[in-house]
Amino acid sequence: MVLLRLFVGWHFLYEGIIKLYNPDWTSVGYLASAQGPFRSFFIWMTSDAMIGIADWGNKIALVFVGLTLLLGIFEKCGAIVGAVLLAMYYLAHPSFPWLTEVSVEGSYWFVNKNLIELMVCVVIYQLPTSRYFGLQRFFDKKEVLTQSN
Amino acid sequence: MKFTRRDALKGLGGIPLMGAVWWAGAASTVAKKKERSAILEQLNIQPSLPAAVPGIGGDPIRVGIIGFGIRGEQLCRALGFATNEWKEEMRLAAEENPNNSTLADFEAQDKLNVHLAGICDIFDYRANKALNSFNTPDNKMERFRTYQEMIRSGKVDAVVIATPDHWHAPMTIDALENNIHVYVEKPMTHNVEETYRLREAARNSKATLQVGHQHRQTLSFQTAKDIIEKGTIGHVSLIQTNTNRNDDNGAWMYDIHPDASPQTIDWDMFLGSAPKVPFNKNHFFRWRKWWAYGSGLSGDLLSHDYDRLNCVLNMGIPDSVMTSGGIYTHRDGRNVPDVLQVNMEYPNFSTGSSQAKGKEQGMTFVYSATLGNGFNRPTILMGHDGTLELGNQLTIWPDRQSTRYADNIENEKMSPGVPIYQYDPGASTPDGVASATSQYFADKGLMWTYINGARVDSTFLHMREWLSCARNGGKVSCGVKEGFEEAISSHMAGLSYKLGRRIEWDKETEQLKPIEGIDFDEALLAPM
């Protein structure tokens, strides 16, 4: 479980850092080409007023999830944010057989990599490991200490 | 409570991992960015911004419309006037498909200081259609029976000519001689002789002439000019442009209106200089299919592609032209070809060279067209140092054997399969996903250009420039020089097809080199 958590954190952090250090990066393309039932919502996010918020929100959220899962602190919070992000990615380009898939590598039928990683986030939420490996370990010890006093 | 060493390891174990991932991500992004900006710096291409056009001050310019068919309606919309029928149609289209922003785009278009004062169409239905929508308390509009009447009425300052090709020159010349500004659709003329007369009239007129090659306003073409001037792709030896259509509308099979009859159409006026034939709806609505009124692929579509390149390269009229083709996909009684291959030779032209002086000179411009297949073949400029794909977007690939980029290719900073420059004014991003989708949109809209990311009708920009020059003076993008080159080049292509011979241009005398026993205009307009 620790390894699983570290791998997901690793992935999120790297995605976030890549975007953070590239001033040209934007989610316009991904959002503008959205498909499926929530298409209009994602298109709305590409508006001038929204796109800056969407881009920065995404970058900060990615780095946040990466840090929490890698460092092992507030991991439940990180797992929820990660699951919400992945749900949005999935809904923007859902792998429904009746939609033409754009810019996707691999072949999927409903279940795709985003959905799987989302489920992993749920599992991480259910089975937290930061008490065992992560910064949380120190806080826990302190708590135990306070209680025993 | 004491932390053991085991606690410290397990508690802090994530930190080095985080550091490694952070460093790896940052380092690779920064390195890529550096490489990219080094290449861009080396190329030093300046993406063009739209030219600032002085506003049209004072009283509104009074514009008369001659010809209110498919293109006439489009031109009116570019001037800010859409028929009620069209607005309703677009409203329904937007209701059906929320992504259809045609009506919203039209309504967002800047308003021009224009009064649509007159309409002249020889088909009653079309003239009335214009009056019904445009003759309002704010915009008094009058119907004129003939263009001569409109030009001499004193009620219009400018005319827009969107008629069949054989009427372009007579109307333009008459308007220019009366100092009425003219926006005329392409091709500028229908035969060789009148091209000279029109040029003379334009030179002697106080009025402003703009030929309707609206893509001169497309920003990517202006950027392409900078790319060529900087020698980015080296000596261009071959240009390929294409027309690929596979539908009835694309093959000029336009709808025949049920109201059409000898009573509602001034048939003699339609014929003009064309051979006298009895009333024929097919000829009236689908005039592009006959040499008598139109000019087929060479005048309708080659003229576009030729001017697209002439505005980037300023290569002028070719030294010689060879054309072949035939009627292979629409054997419906038409006499213009529907498959056409045109080779224009420019033996003395050069876009600059990165090799030994004198090694490279000369270029062939190939136009290849079919109305029987819709596969999208892009416009390609092939240079010794690179290849430029020209559309609403631009892409440049370095050539494996390039002299200019030899070092970059050797040390793998460039790779022949990877573009070194991409220009997409419709997207603010080099994101892989973004270009895939925006490419789709951009390719669709030949008629659009992008300014600060917003779609703008290039015809609107072209007409605005014309009106601004008419009011304030200044030079239009597609005046009589450009129109003359476009018309002569198109006619050379048509003539070569007709005669099955090489047609040559004498630069000194500015004349087609004569061929014994051949009257060029007779040959060009002959039924075949």
Side-chain angles (χ1 to χ4, degrees), chain B residues 486-507:
Chain B
E486 169 258 289
I488 294 288
S489 304
S490 299
H491 296 330
M492 285 171 79
L495 274 168
S496 178
Y497 168 75
K498 282 290 187 64
L499 298 169
R501 299 175 71 154
R502 180 190 290 270
I503 305 296
E504 293 178 308
W505 175 248
D506 187 332
K507 271 199 168 53

Side-chain angles (χ1 to χ4, degrees), chain B residues 186-187 210-217 221 241 298-316 344 346 365 367 390 462 477-487 489-490:
Chain B
K186 50 87 227 175
Q210 175 95 297
V211 182
H213 284 297
Q214 69 277 356
H215 48 246
R216 283 192 175 248
Q217 309 292 336
F221 292 0
T241 67
S298 49
D300 184 27
L301 297 169
L302 160 66
S303 58
H304 264 316
D305 276 63
Y306 167 83
D307 191 71
R308 261 164 28 120
L309 270 308
N310 199 26
C311 87
V312 173
L313 301 177
N314 199 17
M315 71 244 180
M344 296 186 169
Y346 294 88
F365 171 102
Y367 170 74
L390 175 72
H462 207 46
S477 301
C478 198
V480 76
K481 174 187 175 285
E482 293 79 11
F484 182 84
E485 291 173 352
E486 169 258 289
S489 304
S490 299

Side-chain angles (χ1 to χ4, degrees), chain B residues 126-142:
Chain B
R126 285 178 176 168
N128 291 333
K129 190 179 182 187
L131 287 177
N132 286 341
S133 289
F134 305 153
N135 186 21
T136 61
D138 297 336
N139 185 79
K140 284 281 163 221
M141 189 188 221
E142 190 178 328

Side-chain angles (χ1 to χ4, degrees), chain A:
Chain A
M1 269 315 294
V2 170
L3 272 182
L4 193 59
R5 192 197 81 203
L6 290 177
F7 278 20
V8 173
W10 180 310
H11 181 213
F12 268 88
L13 184 64
Y14 193 76
E15 286 277 12
I17 294 297
I18 290 276
K19 293 172 174 63
L20 203 61
Y21 280 83
N22 180 359
D24 294 333
W25 178 85
T26 163
S27 54
V28 168
Y30 195 77
L31 295 173
S33 58
Q35 289 183 310
F38 300 100
R39 184 179 155 72
S40 49
F41 168 73
F42 291 110
I43 300 280
W44 169 76
M45 283 177 74
T46 62
S47 63
D48 285 348
M50 284 307 298
I51 192 63
I53 300 171
D55 282 352
W56 274 105
N58 188 42
K59 285 185 216 180
I60 291 168
L62 281 170
V63 172
F64 172 74
V65 176
L67 289 180
T68 56
L69 298 190
L70 264 185
L71 296 179
I73 188 156
F74 312 129
E75 61 177 334
K76 285 196 152 198
C77 208
I80 294 172
V81 175
V84 170
L85 268 185
L86 287 162
M88 302 238 283
Y89 299 160
Y90 181 80
L91 291 174
H93 291 267
S95 298
F96 299 158
W98 54 88
L99 295 175
T100 323
E101 295 188 10
V102 285
S103 53
V104 178
E105 97 284 21
S107 318
Y108 305 105
W109 190 65
F110 291 106
V111 172
N112 68 10
K113 289 180 194 167
N114 282 337
L115 207 55
I116 296 168
E117 197 166 10
L118 192 160
M119 283 305 145
V120 172
C121 283
V122 173
V123 171
I124 289 171
Y125 179 83
Q126 293 292 343
L127 302 171
T129 51
S130 60
R131 284 157 186 250
Y132 176 70
F133 185 91
L135 291 175
Q136 193 69 39
R137 194 178 175 95
F138 300 123
F139 293 96
D140 276 6
K141 285 230 163 179
K142 254 187 205 163
E143 256 172 53
V144 175
L145 204 69
T146 336
Q147 276 167 18
S148 63
N149 281 345

Side-chain angles (χ1 to χ4, degrees), chain B residues 13 42 56 180 202 247 282 316 321 363 404 422 429 442 452 482 517 527:
Chain B
Q42 191 187 343
I56 303 156
I180 301 287
D247 61 297
N282 209 9
V321 179
M363 173 182 87
R404 183 175 167 157
Q422 262 179 323
T429 160
N452 297 330
E482 293 79 11

Side-chain angles (χ1 to χ4, degrees), chain B residues 380-402:
Chain B
I380 300 276
L381 283 76
M382 307 178 84
H384 169 69
D385 294 314
T387 306
L388 169 65
E389 184 181 329
L390 175 72
N392 237 340
Q393 300 175 44
L394 304 173
T395 309
I396 303 172
W397 288 270
D399 195 272
R400 189 180 295 281
Q401 306 303 335
S402 160

